[in-house]
Amino acid sequence: MEDPCLSTQLIDGDGVFNVSGLESFMKEVKLAECGLSYAVVSIMGPQSSGKSTLLNHLFRTNFREMDAFRGRSQTTKGIWMAKAQNIEPCTLVMDLEGTDGRERGEDDTAFEKQSALFALAVSDIVLINMWCHDIGREQAANKPLLKTVFQVMMRLFSPRKTTMLFVIRDKSKTPLENLEPILREDIQKIWDGVPKPHAHKDTPLSEFFNVQVVALNSYEEKEELFREQVSNLRDRFQQSIAPGGLAGDRRGVVPASGFSFSSQQFWKVIKENKDLDLPAHKVMVATVRCEEIGYEKVATFTADEEWQQFEEAVQSDYVPGFGKKISSLLDRCLSEYDMEAIYFDEGVRTSKRHQLESKLLQLVNPAYQSLLGHLRTRTLEAFKESFDKAVEKEGFAVAARDSTQIFLEKFDKGSEDATIQQVNWDPSKVKDKLKRDIEAHVVSVRATKLSELCATYEGKLTKALAEPVEALLDSASEDTWPAIRKLLQRETTAAVSGLESAISTFELDEATEKELLLRLENHGRSVVESKAREEAARILIRMKDRFSTLFSRDADSMPRVWTGKEDIKAITKTARSASMKLLSTMAAIRLEEDGDNIDTTLSLALVDAARPGTTDRSIQSLDPLASSSWERVPEERTLISPVQCKSLWRQFKAETEYTVTQAIAAQQTRGTTTGCLLHGRSLRWLSLVSMSS
């Protein structure tokens, strides 16, 4: 059982194109699925010549036919279209309005020419329906029609070769082989008489048309024979587009999905009375349809559930298999485009495919960049964890090199997994950022580790120097500073050697290593200098303590008992000389063996100048302590200036005078039996002691 015939009015009698009707018709017949595998057949001829009847029998369509009992009149207005039943491939049939109808009038030929041009532009096969008795007649009804066809043909730039099948109706007894030469002669005369552009002045008819002729008996008088002849003719329309088939040259054929748009544009240009540039029209249709297909594919891709899941997932973390899956989704989308656009102009569809691919990649790129960002973050965090552990097991530099190489390779593998086949995106910028992040972390850890090592060895050096230096300074002898220098050299050498060994795994450049070792050496010096400054700040207390110890205790460190036999003068001098030695020792930092005269200066100024037997007027008149600096001692190494020494000594004497007085008083108490003589001697001695001080 045959399906119901599907048809629609394509263009009405007023020349209005039925867009919605054609779109609905195409969906019903599923034309878009045909690709290039479809044919278009149209029929022209005088009014009431049986065109619709022929089409209905030939293609089993349902075009409206004339009622013979009601007289000849126009039955088809405008252009109608139907789908041929049981003809492969899909064949669209167009029934055109008659060309000599009295309804439009003799002068109204505009629509006739427009519809003829439209039929030639879209059809593979054009049926010319004509009466047998018109063959050879000068006033034949088909002559104006043929002139119209040939004239409008000139308005098609680069027209494709169309099959023009002349259907002779109501054939007489004259054999077809006798009628056909006459008909071809008539056709050639009409062709020769049509004005042509200069380029086609000598072009033969065969360049534009594949002319074929068939004859049919009268439908009304010999219906059975007519049906048989039509059935035979119908067989010729099966596989009409195959090589050797009835259809002509199909170079300009528009893919089925673009048929509606193409037809609309043809009719628009025709109505505007413009010439049709078929090659340009083909490109234009391809451009519009390929763009439409591209937009559809972009919309389909963005709505794809798998893509949406991947797009959401990469916002929060790295997604394994991203590249392979996205490549698959893109490939599927582009393949669908290729399938739908395959029959359109190659240059256009390729160009639009590139545009589609570019749009899809623009959609994917943010997700790709986000993925690389997560990959970089994950790789960096993993590097930090692994590197911190590796540093404990391996040398720093080795751990840094090996870990960096390992995790950059891991990034490469991850970025390779993210690679999308359709594009060669370069992840090097993200990798460079990862390199910088890794290097920054290595530098930070190196700085921290080196700082810790330096602090450790500085702490060790401080511990090795602080207390010994304090003890040496407290002893205050000729050997104090030489002993300190020896101690400093020994402990600094040991510390520097230890640090040098510890930082060897860092593979530092020579300048950096020297800087660290020098810093440690300087730290040792600063410890000594700091300790010396601390001791110098409390020199007065130290001097008084030393004086008190030496004055109040004997050689066995036992407290003195003032019995009257002790030489207080000598004891006082010894104690004060020791205190002055302490002051001399603390007056300057002596870490270099360049020597100074501080001890001599203090001795001359504070001890020798006060002796009763001193007669050198130069010593008495010139005060060597009346200065803010020591000779041959730089300011930065000065702890106590000459002026400060003088002031401290004066204060020291004043604060220790009472101790001496108390000692003398004690002797006096024990020596009352010696009488006034001894008392007088004591007073005189005390006076001498004061003078010597």
Side-chain angles (χ1 to χ4, degrees), residues 74-306:
Q74 188 179 48
T75 55
T76 301
K77 293 183 179 181
I79 301 175
W80 285 74
M81 175 175 282
K83 180 181 181 295
Q85 296 287 81
N86 299 328
I87 297 252
E88 293 295 335
C90 174
T91 300
L92 305 180
V93 182
M94 292 197 305
D95 188 9
L96 274 65
E97 182 179 312
T99 57
D100 60 348
R102 55 186 173 84
E103 285 81 1
R104 286 195 180 269
E106 294 181 2
D107 297 329
D108 190 4
T109 60
F111 187 82
E112 176 183 326
K113 291 182 178 181
Q114 290 171 352
S115 59
L117 182 55
F118 179 78
L120 287 173
V122 302
S123 300
D124 299 292
I125 304 167
V126 178
L127 304 180
I128 304 295
N129 201 46
M130 62 179 300
W131 299 113
C132 180
H133 59 73
D134 278 341
I135 297 175
R137 292 178 54 221
E138 194 66 31
Q139 302 300 321
N142 67 313
K143 282 190 175 182
L145 171 63
L146 289 178
K147 286 181 181 179
T148 297
V149 170
F150 293 158
Q151 285 172 353
V152 298
M153 195 68 180
M154 295 298 103
R155 292 175 59 188
L156 293 175
F157 291 100
S158 303
R160 54 177 174 158
K161 192 172 183 178
T162 305
T163 295
M164 187 178 290
L165 179 59
F166 286 85
V167 181
I168 301 173
R169 302 295 298 277
D170 295 354
K171 184 177 81 71
S172 62
K173 294 181 180 180
T174 305
L176 178 61
E177 54 268 24
N178 293 337
L179 293 173
E180 185 172 346
I182 301 173
L183 176 59
R184 289 184 177 275
E185 184 179 347
D186 288 345
I187 295 170
Q188 187 62 49
K189 286 181 180 179
I190 296 170
W191 173 256
D192 293 340
V194 172
K196 304 178 187 66
H198 182 76
H200 294 294
K201 186 176 182 181
D202 298 320
T203 303
L205 176 65
S206 58
E207 288 292 317
F208 289 91
F209 295 102
N210 172 27
V211 178
Q212 297 194 31
V213 182
V214 65
L216 301 176
N217 285 96
S218 171
Y219 170 65
E220 296 178 356
E221 296 177 3
K222 299 181 180 180
E223 182 177 348
E224 291 301 322
L225 182 58
F226 173 83
R227 290 180 180 275
E228 181 181 347
Q229 292 169 340
V230 168
S231 177
N232 292 334
L233 179 59
R234 175 183 170 84
D235 292 340
R236 296 179 63 182
F237 284 90
Q238 295 287 356
Q239 305 302 327
S240 61
I241 64 173
L246 189 60
D249 176 18
R250 289 175 55 80
R251 286 176 302 173
V253 67
V254 173
S257 64
F259 180 78
S260 175
F261 178 75
S262 173
S263 300
Q264 294 173 49
Q265 293 302 309
F266 271 140
W267 187 247
K268 178 183 177 182
V269 173
I270 290 169
K271 289 287 287 181
E272 292 173 353
N273 199 30
K274 297 178 181 178
D275 293 340
L276 289 177
D277 187 343
L278 293 187
H281 177 82
K282 180 181 178 183
V283 170
M284 183 266 292
V285 173
T287 300
V288 173
R289 274 300 298 144
C290 289
E291 284 182 353
E292 290 177 350
I293 296 171
Y295 292 144
E296 292 170 2
K297 296 308 147 192
V298 170
T300 300
F301 183 85
T302 54
D304 185 89
E305 187 175 344
E306 286 185 278

